[in-house]
């Protein structure tokens, strides 16, 4: 985190509330949020700055850093690159209960939720969500804007392509490669590689959309 810098979260409903909670638990200096409209629910008493897509958005005229509270992978990916185009920093949010090996590479703009485990030589790209209780085993490679949902387990040396989603409590067998823009259904067991753009569900996983 940046010392003495106030932080703006982009997206402050649903997933954004979970990220806000973790940021504050990590003693990050979270003060503001951006959304299309001001939110009725504001449990963390953040100050509304407006819509980051508007030219007069106050966050562009400050030294504030950003964190990402957007659950949708494609939208999070797009907004992250938009923020970077404004020469702004996007920080990681890592819950203090997460267990992460010292030998893990982590990019920028990630959210690593409570009670997660990330083991040696894993690599986490940029703008990812590693959600509550997920397990990322040794030597896994997670590309940009991936969401690993609560309770999912990636065995050793699994590779996940950009913007893919691994559903809650899904299990991916060791050495399996998942392509870009893939959806793995909740509770699925994946024992074979999955090509780009496919949706896979069940145990064992079967393709339902190409």
């Amino acid at each position: 985190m940046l010392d003495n810098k106030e932080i703006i979260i982009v997206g402050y409903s649903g997933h954004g509330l979970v990220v806000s909670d973790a940021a504050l638990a990590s003693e990050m200096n979270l003060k503001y949020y951006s959304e299309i409209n001001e939110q009725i629910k504001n449990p963390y008493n953040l100050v509304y700055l407006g819509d980051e897509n508007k030219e007069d958005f106050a966050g562009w005229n400050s030294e504030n850093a950003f964190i990402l509270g957007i659950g949708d992978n494609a939208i999070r990916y797009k907004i992250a690159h938009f923020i970077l185009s404004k020469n702004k920093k996007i920080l990681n949010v890592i819950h203090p209960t997460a267990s992460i090996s010292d030998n893990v590479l982590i990019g920028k703009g990630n959210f690593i939720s409570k009670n997660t485990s990330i083991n040696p030589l894993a690599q986490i790209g940029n703008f990812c969500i590693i959600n509550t209780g997920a397990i990322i085993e040794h030597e896994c490679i997670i590309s940009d804007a991936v969401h690993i949902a609560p309770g999912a387990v990636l065995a050793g040396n699994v590779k996940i392509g950009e913007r893919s989603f691994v559903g809650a409590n899904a299990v991916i067998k060791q050495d399996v490669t998942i392509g870009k823009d893939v959806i793995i259904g909740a509770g699925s067991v994946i024992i074979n590689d999955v090509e780009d753009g496919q949706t896979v569900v069940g145990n064992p996983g079967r393709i339902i959309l190409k």
Side-chain angles (χ1 to χ4, degrees):
M1 101 181 235
L2 297 177
D3 291 337
N4 301 318
K5 299 289 186 181
E6 293 180 328
I7 295 171
I8 302 165
I9 185 167
V10 181
Y12 189 50
S13 63
H15 176 68
L17 296 176
V18 179
V19 177
S20 298
D21 185 77
L24 293 168
S26 302
E27 300 184 348
M28 299 179 79
N29 194 19
L30 179 60
K31 296 294 184 183
Y32 306 102
Y33 74 94
S34 67
E35 271 283 1
I36 295 174
N37 298 303
E38 189 168 1
Q39 299 296 290
I40 295 173
K41 294 180 181 178
N42 187 4
Y44 304 108
N45 298 313
L46 304 185
V47 176
Y48 179 54
L49 287 185
D51 181 355
E52 73 279 356
N53 293 295
K54 303 295 185 182
E55 287 296 328
D56 60 353
F57 178 60
W60 304 139
N61 301 317
S62 70
E63 296 299 320
N64 297 319
F66 288 79
I67 60 176
L68 302 172
I70 301 164
D72 182 278
N73 287 347
I75 296 173
R76 188 172 66 259
Y77 185 86
K78 179 180 178 181
I79 291 296
H81 284 284
F82 178 58
I83 293 169
L84 293 176
S85 76
K86 299 288 187 178
N87 295 315
K88 298 297 182 181
K89 293 184 182 294
I90 307 177
L91 308 180
N92 291 321
V93 178
I94 300 175
H95 196 277
T97 63
S99 176
I100 302 173
S101 167
D102 291 338
N103 294 307
V104 170
L105 296 178
I106 300 176
K108 57 180 173 287
N110 297 293
F111 170 56
I112 300 177
S113 190
K114 61 179 65 174
N115 299 322
T116 54
S117 295
I118 306 179
N119 283 324
L121 303 184
Q123 299 178 36
I124 311 297
N126 304 307
F127 328 130
C128 295
I129 299 169
I130 312 298
N131 224 324
T132 309
I135 297 173
I136 311 297
E137 268 299 343
H138 61 89
E139 301 169 281
C140 288
I141 298 176
I142 311 298
S143 301
D144 291 354
V146 166
H147 183 171
I148 308 298
V153 177
L154 276 58
N157 203 37
V158 167
K159 298 176 177 63
I160 310 287
E162 290 182 349
R163 296 176 301 276
S164 288
F165 173 79
V166 178
N169 295 313
V171 177
I172 302 181
K173 179 180 172 285
Q174 67 269 19
D175 300 318
V176 164
T177 296
I178 306 297
K180 299 177 181 178
D181 302 302
V182 168
I183 297 173
I184 305 295
S188 298
V189 177
I190 308 302
I191 60 174
N192 296 307
D193 294 353
V194 179
E195 296 180 358
D196 294 353
Q198 294 182 331
T199 296
V200 182
V201 301
N203 179 9
R206 66 187 187 280
I207 298 167
I208 61 171
L209 177 68
K210 291 188 177 180

